[in-house]
Amino acid sequence: MKMTEAPGVNFIQEAVREDLAAGRYTKVITRFPPEPNGYLHIGHAKAICIDFGIAEEFGGLCNLRFDDTNPTKEEQHYIDAIQDGVRWLGFDWGDRLYYASDYFAQMYEWAIQLIRDGKAYVDDQTADEIRENRGTLTEPGKPSPYRDRGVEENLDLFERMQAGEFPNGSRVLRARIDMASPNLNMRDPVMYRILAVPHHRTGDRWKIYPMYDWAHGLEDSIERVSHSLCSIEFQDHRPLYDWFLEQLGIFHPRQIEFARLELEHTVLSKRKLIQLVSGNYVGGWDDPRLPTLAGLRRRGYTPASIRNFCDRIGVSKAHSVVEFALLEHCLRDDLNKTAPRTMAVMRPLKLVLTNYPEGKVEELEADVNPEDPSAGRRKIPFSRELWIEQDDFREDPPKKFYRLSPGREVRLKYAYYITCNEVVKDPGTGEVTELRCMYDPETRGGWVPGGRKVKGTSHWVSAAHAARAEFRLYDRLFTRPNPDEDGQFLSNLNPQSLEKISGFIEAGLAGAPAGARYQFERLGYFCVDPDSSPEAMAFNRSVSLKDTWARIESNLKL
RNA sequence: UGGGGCGUCGUCAAGCGGUAAGACACAGGUCUUUGGAACCUGCAUUCGGAGGUUCGAAUCCUCCCGCCCCAGCCA
């Protein structure tokens, strides 16, 4: 890594810095405010990194606040899962765990204040009427017939809304702002709706629930949040956010918006993710092909790699779609330094060393991680019959193919030089079923005293010692970079996004705990899936190693 | 066509009037018991377009073009 990288100050850091310098705020408080109605995904990870990152950078604090203002969609188990996800990502909110629902009483008081000031009114129009009278993008809205109701009547009606006297949806409380505003959000937005349904935290205490625009700024204000960071679609809501705070004359946080993350070949909208899960297009919220935190975690992504990714994509207001390759790079970068190496064969081809004594077993030594000498060495059993990768042999090798072929000598990693003498085929299909080779006893460990070089090195496992294992190979979930480009994202699913194959692992790996990560040499990074057992190990391929040969070969074909 | 926002390399993204950072990707090379990693080299005479201001413009002004968001009693 070069040290020429600029300090990198994004526009939010700049704004916070200025606010502090100007004395507008004395302490930086941010918040991550998920609604507990779904699972966290990598887009949330970006927001989490920004929210907690800004707080930390300026010596402040970040609140974890559940924005639980809509009991029809929210559930306790989402609250648990979200906390688990934030913690896993590596962030700590300490004792700053808050709920919007804890502020409902205060919000109610403030609503009464606005009614008294003539700045809010109860509207008896139906939802359809409200929509029709809101006007359009080019035409102003029409005032509600109830807009000029007297203060006492509004007060009475509002109290009775909360008392449960009216059916759901029959009335709303609206802010009295400007029905002709070019910003639709300012055309007398709804503050409360009647929703006599039990809330997962407040039970049946409330018959009315606050809307986002009314509630969010108040929540921020109550918590003395200095900088309320959110995504770009809330820009149009900022005038309203500010309006409520001004009318109430309470502590006024600053809302700053940034572009949300989009990733190629996947979807990050709650709605689409739900469709994938409930339609059984994937195995669940933690399907390793999903960009959910649970999915990435099961796939083998490390928290550090995701944080690093969020760091590298930067923060701006420009609509951006990041290539998947960057996320993969961040994972490889992390795992290369930390993952223990081991050998596994995904697509086995039998190899017999004809001059190696039958029944003999040697213990050979190998690095656990060549990038990290402190990781030590490990022992691997070697014997006469081995499994190697089918891809490592070509009967008729193309140009630049350095691996094994008839008459050619290659190295078995950490073991011996071998030469292929005979190719055994299935007489029926012509398929290569076995390679018969000779090893050079002088090359033990994979070195040759004189310096005779060999161009290829293959990984292998001893047939007598290896354990069977399942490998789950994942590919992009969608074939198109922008899956919903045609509005038909479900029809753009990649039918080859999951391939399960059976191969061999070093025996010592059986029994490795779920979540354990390894590099299978020359193949990629894998992690133990939770549905493994010592007798039936299953490994998820987190990401492959870069494959130069595959690139050369595909360039040759072009 | 109302309002808001955004347009700098294939993808992100610095740049804040003084003569286009960096990362990923890609291409070539060195090295190598992972065709991995590491290392080296190359990769925007140009910043959506056109005018203008200026000794000097990606940065300032004007007009134009394109993309995104907003008409939930969702957040």
Side-chain angles (χ1 to χ4, degrees), chain A residues 38 59 65 81 101 110 125 150 166 174-175 198 203 218 249 269 277 282 302 338 378 380 419 443 496 526 529:
Chain A
R65 179 175 73 228
S101 53
W110 277 329
Q125 292 183 107
F166 311 123
R174 287 232 256 172
L218 308 186
S269 92
V277 174
V282 295
T302 59
T338 57
R378 70 195 149 105
I380 321 167
T419 303
T443 58
Q496 267 109 249
F526 289 73
D529 191 83

Side-chain angles (χ1 to χ4, degrees), chain A residues 30 82 105-106 117 160 222 269 349 358 388 393 415 428 441 535:
Chain A
T30 60
I82 288 168
Q106 173 65 265
D117 292 345
R160 289 163 62 196
I222 289 167
S269 92
L349 174 59
E358 301 219 26
I388 66 160
F393 172 79
E535 300 73 40

Side-chain angles (χ1 to χ4, degrees), chain A residues 83-365:
Chain A
Q83 292 190 55
D84 191 44
V86 176
R87 218 178 277 122
W88 176 75
L89 239 201
F91 296 98
D92 181 10
W93 56 90
D95 58 357
R96 308 199 131 247
L97 174 64
Y98 302 120
Y99 295 86
S101 53
D102 286 344
Y103 313 141
F104 284 173
Q106 173 65 265
M107 291 176 189
Y108 184 82
E109 291 308 313
W110 277 329
I112 286 176
Q113 183 183 329
L114 286 198
I115 294 173
R116 289 218 164 92
D117 292 345
K119 291 167 182 164
Y121 63 96
V122 173
D123 195 344
D124 299 355
Q125 292 183 107
T126 64
D128 284 343
E129 287 168 337
I130 287 179
R131 188 185 338 107
E132 279 159 28
N133 289 333
R134 184 153 29 225
T136 67
L137 295 179
T138 51
E139 302 158 28
K142 295 188 190 69
S144 163
Y146 306 96
R147 195 171 199 262
D148 295 315
R149 208 123 65 174
V151 169
E152 289 312 314
E153 188 186 0
N154 279 321
L155 246 20
D156 175 62
L157 254 13
F158 183 55
E159 278 162 17
R160 289 163 62 196
M161 280 168 63
Q162 160 56 14
E165 289 188 28
F166 311 123
N168 287 353
S170 58
R171 278 176 238 259
V172 294
L173 182 71
R174 287 232 256 172
R176 202 164 183 279
I177 308 180
D178 178 8
M179 286 308 290
S181 172
N183 180 346
L184 300 252
N185 296 121
M186 300 299 273
R187 321 245 261 224
D188 290 11
V190 172
M191 294 164 62
Y192 279 98
R193 73 281 215 187
I194 302 173
L195 223 52
V197 301
H199 185 280
H200 52 101
R201 297 195 79 245
T202 60
D204 57 6
R205 175 169 175 203
W206 297 94
K207 311 297 180 204
I208 59 174
Y209 290 93
M211 299 286 292
Y212 170 87
D213 285 312
W214 163 243
H216 205 84
L218 308 186
E219 295 160 19
D220 289 340
S221 183
I222 289 167
E223 292 174 14
R224 310 293 287 188
V225 165
S226 59
H227 299 270
S228 183
L229 313 176
C230 61
S231 46
I232 213 99
E233 64 270 28
F234 290 104
Q235 259 171 154
D236 291 341
H237 297 245
R238 190 175 354 117
L240 182 52
Y241 179 99
D242 291 334
W243 189 88
F244 282 129
L245 263 9
E246 268 161 41
Q247 303 311 309
L248 260 12
I250 57 178
F251 180 78
H252 196 148
R254 200 231 279 213
Q255 174 178 305
I256 301 175
E257 312 85 11
F258 58 86
R260 58 196 307 165
L261 169 66
E262 285 192 59
L263 248 193
E264 285 188 349
H265 298 289
T266 191
V267 292
L268 289 178
S269 92
K270 239 175 233 181
R271 198 197 105 241
K272 296 192 186 93
L273 289 171
I274 286 170
Q275 280 187 72
L276 290 172
V277 174
S278 59
N280 294 315
Y281 296 99
V282 295
W285 285 101
D286 65 346
D287 188 295
R289 290 166 292 182
L290 251 24
T292 53
L293 254 33
L296 291 165
R297 185 177 178 173
R298 186 167 178 183
R299 174 81 169 257
Y301 272 81
T302 59
S305 69
I306 294 173
R307 279 187 258 116
N308 185 223
F309 171 75
C310 291
D311 233 52
R312 290 186 184 224
I313 57 176
V315 181
S316 77
K317 300 184 76 155
H319 173 98
S320 60
V321 185
V322 179
E323 288 177 342
F324 219 94
L326 182 59
L327 217 207
E328 295 185 327
H329 166 81
C330 290
L331 213 217
R332 289 192 188 103
D333 194 44
D334 187 14
L335 259 19
N336 176 47
K337 296 173 207 138
T338 57
R341 274 93 287 193
T342 175
M343 291 196 282
V345 175
M346 295 200 302
R347 295 182 168 87
L349 174 59
K350 174 69 75 69
L351 187 152
V352 178
L353 265 12
T354 53
N355 60 336
Y356 195 90
E358 301 219 26
K360 178 177 177 180
V361 177
E362 286 182 89
E363 292 258 282
L364 299 171
E365 278 221 328

